[in-house]
Amino acid sequence: MNLKTPGESYFHLHLVSDATGETLINVGRAACAQYANVLPIEHVYPLIRSMKQLERVLNEVESNPGIVLYTLVDKEIRERLKERCRELGVPYMSVLAPVVQLFQSYLGGSPTPRVGGQHSLDANYFKRIDALNYTVMHDDGHMTDDLESADVVLLGVSRTSKTPTSIYLANRGIKTANIPLVPSVPLPPGVEKLKKPLVVGLVASPERIVEIRQNRLLGLNAADLGASYIDREAVNEEIILSRRLCARNGWPLIDVTRRSVEETAATIYALYSERRRRAIAET
């Protein structure tokens, strides 16, 4: 069965890293997203820290020529990769080199290369772990008695991407709780009196929410159990009530109908950062 869309083409994308490869994956996918009908076949090679490991990578590149992106600290390994890519006639690039060179020209001095430096067990790392633990424990309205310790509290009706957005923010080190807005169910005590956290409402169009809820019920084989859950008028009333709640409390409201989780989280992060800047300026 051929699932290829007419007009689509494929190419091999080799991502070679001496760390986890996450940086390369993100950069590669961001670049590929600019080409609507070109799809990458990703070959990810993490933790490449020896010549023996590199030779296996180079054999794969020779068998499947394509673009090679890399982040390698070891000069000998890096030079061997570049040399072999030139011999094979495949394009290659260090995704961090231009950025590091820019930093060096501005800051002066030479950088101190560290394998996987961005993943080191520093204070920021443990802050992210702490945020993830907090966010998981405060998902979907659980443990609402200590919401004042959150950085962000998300509110929204069912299927407005509260949980994935919370997890994404937690990966940025932001402790995030989320609370579902359910018809006839009051908010947990104290939510409307929160001072420290940034409270944000999430909404979407009734059509979008109904579509997602229908798919959800089908996946659970419970399509006959959710008449009001997928009734457009009932859903529209839920959204109206959530909008009124946010307006009454002066909480920012984000329409996620056409936003990815990443875009929603980026907007919330910007609101959170601006709020912190104002608080610092006022002290």
Side-chain angles (χ1 to χ4, degrees), residues 121-140:
L121 302 182
D122 57 10
N124 286 329
Y125 173 84
F126 289 107
K127 180 182 178 182
R128 292 196 300 273
I129 296 300
D130 184 46
L132 281 166
N133 288 334
Y134 181 94
T135 298
V136 169
M137 290 189 296
H138 293 77
D139 181 45
D140 202 30

Side-chain angles (χ1 to χ4, degrees), residues 183-197:
S184 303
V185 176
L187 280 174
V191 170
E192 294 188 76
K193 297 180 180 179
L194 291 173
K195 300 297 182 183
K196 175 182 172 289

Side-chain angles (χ1 to χ4, degrees), residues 2-31:
N2 184 11
L3 298 178
K4 182 178 176 181
T5 302
E8 284 185 345
S9 61
Y10 297 87
F11 72 100
H12 292 281
L13 178 61
H14 299 273
L15 307 172
V16 189
S17 174
D18 50 20
T20 63
E22 292 178 26
T23 299
L24 288 172
I25 292 170
N26 290 332
V27 171
R29 290 179 180 176

Side-chain angles (χ1 to χ4, degrees), residues 49-252:
R49 299 176 181 178
S50 71
M51 282 295 185
K52 184 177 180 180
Q53 292 171 325
L54 179 64
E55 288 306 319
R56 289 197 292 267
V57 173
L58 295 176
N59 289 337
E60 186 71 18
V61 173
E62 183 175 6
S63 299
N64 300 284
I67 295 174
V68 177
L69 300 180
Y70 65 91
T71 52
L72 297 167
V73 169
D74 187 282
K75 184 177 180 181
E76 186 178 358
I77 294 176
R78 190 170 64 242
E79 291 303 317
R80 172 57 181 158
L81 173 65
K82 292 160 63 176
E83 175 188 31
R84 188 65 180 132
C85 285
R86 287 193 293 266
E87 292 173 354
L88 295 172
V90 297
Y92 60 90
M93 174 177 284
S94 167
V95 300
L96 289 181
V99 180
V100 172
Q101 289 170 3
L102 179 64
F103 273 57
Q104 187 174 350
S105 66
Y106 184 78
L107 299 174
S110 299
T112 304
R114 289 189 299 155
V115 174
Q118 72 272 36
H119 305 297
S120 59
L121 302 182
D122 57 10
N124 286 329
Y125 173 84
F126 289 107
K127 180 182 178 182
R128 292 196 300 273
I129 296 300
D130 184 46
L132 281 166
N133 288 334
Y134 181 94
T135 298
V136 169
M137 290 189 296
H138 293 77
D139 181 45
D140 202 30
H142 289 95
M143 296 183 65
T144 58
D145 55 337
D146 66 338
L147 291 177
E148 197 64 53
S149 63
D151 297 315
V152 171
V153 175
L154 301 182
L155 304 173
V157 302
S158 173
R159 304 298 109 186
T160 48
S161 300
K162 296 184 298 298
T163 294
T165 303
S166 297
I167 296 296
Y168 196 95
L169 288 168
N171 273 298
R172 301 286 296 271
I174 298 177
K175 294 193 292 185
T176 308
N178 75 79
I179 299 172
L181 298 178
V182 182
S184 303
V185 176
L187 280 174
V191 170
E192 294 188 76
K193 297 180 180 179
L194 291 173
K195 300 297 182 183
K196 175 182 172 289
L198 169 68
V199 182
V200 179
L202 303 181
V203 295
S205 69
E207 294 79 13
R208 179 58 176 161
I209 291 178
V210 168
E211 177 186 0
I212 297 174
R213 289 183 179 182
Q214 286 175 332
N215 292 334
R216 172 69 171 168
L217 292 178
L218 287 173
L220 297 173
N221 293 319
D224 57 339
L225 300 179
S228 62
Y229 187 63
I230 58 175
D231 178 76
R232 190 191 180 286
E233 291 303 318
V235 171
N236 188 54
E237 185 62 26
E238 288 182 53
I239 295 169
I240 290 173
L241 291 175
S242 66
R243 287 183 179 276
R244 288 175 179 170
L245 173 66
C246 291
R248 182 172 71 243
N249 289 280
W251 296 331

Side-chain angles (χ1 to χ4, degrees), residues 11 26-40:
F11 72 100
N26 290 332
V27 171
R29 290 179 180 176
C32 290
Q34 309 306 310
Y35 294 86
N37 295 315
V38 181
L39 300 176

